[in-house]
Amino acid sequence: MTANPVTDPRPEPGPTADERTTLTGFLTWHRQTLELKCAGLAPADLARAAVPPSTLSLLGLVRHLAYVEHHWFRGMLAGESVPAPFESDEDPDYDFNGVEPTAEAVGEAWAAWRAAVDFADAFVAAAPDLDVTGKHHRRGNISLRWVLVHMIEEYARHNGHADLLREQIDGATGE
């Protein structure tokens, strides 16, 4: 299946690409898929919790993925201690909690996500190979390869959640 660059700008990694290109291509595809699932929605719809009993929302997913991108690339692989977006010691899962559906909150979430993605992309581009490692407090040494695969899995799971949310928001499920 070939991507149509007019209707689907997401890259399609090919079987002949090297491992770095394949992994980064899939991750880029998943990131762009999330943006497409959020496209055209008003802030109130983005912040609508639609997977009871969780407070999960599309805005929550963007906030969560900004945190996850930041955590693995900037925190674990680059070893930087810059505060993570949307999380604190008092509220460690703040990224998912209910957010007032304001244009400002939506803008902050997308800005944090894009900044984390930009850092991750720059880090991957500058890495000499996929064996670059960082230290995780529970997993021990983790490689860039592992983080890329983990991020692909993270986006795949949350793009599935976004499908459920989008179906409910659009009324496709009748709920």
Side-chain angles (χ1 to χ4, degrees):
M1 173 186 215
T2 333
N4 179 335
V6 174
T7 60
D8 189 357
R10 298 171 295 179
E12 184 176 327
T16 59
D18 68 11
E19 186 178 16
R20 184 191 305 236
T21 302
T22 299
L23 292 175
T24 56
F26 274 116
L27 182 53
T28 298
W29 186 89
H30 278 296
R31 288 169 175 159
Q32 291 174 345
T33 298
L34 177 74
E35 284 197 276
L36 290 173
K37 291 178 189 303
C38 295
L41 292 176
D45 285 331
L46 283 170
R48 193 172 123 194
V51 183
S54 170
T55 57
L56 186 64
S57 67
L58 287 171
L59 180 55
L61 289 179
V62 174
R63 289 162 56 101
H64 175 69
L65 289 164
Y67 166 79
V68 171
E69 292 264 8
H70 174 98
H71 174 74
W72 290 111
F73 290 102
R74 188 178 289 270
M76 293 296 109
L77 290 174
E80 294 186 10
S81 60
V82 178
F86 314 117
E87 184 174 76
S88 67
D89 291 338
E90 300 78 39
D91 203 351
D93 198 21
Y94 181 67
D95 53 336
F96 272 128
N97 290 348
V99 180
E100 289 298 318
T102 65
E104 181 181 25
V106 171
E108 287 174 358
W110 283 114
W113 180 76
R114 287 188 176 100
V117 167
D118 287 347
F119 180 90
D121 285 347
F123 183 89
V124 173
D129 56 46
L130 295 179
D131 295 322
V132 170
T133 61
K135 185 84 168 157
H136 187 268
H137 63 282
R138 284 194 325 260
R139 292 180 173 95
N141 287 335
I142 55 161
S143 68
L144 173 57
R145 175 183 290 105
W146 182 89
V147 169
L148 289 170
V149 171
H150 177 71
M151 289 303 300
I152 291 166
E153 293 169 344
E154 187 84 9
Y155 274 93
R157 179 172 68 253
H158 289 311
N159 274 318
H161 292 147
D163 282 332
L164 289 173
L165 289 159
R166 199 55 211 246
E167 286 172 7
Q168 291 185 15
I169 289 166
D170 293 343
T173 60
E175 292 181 20

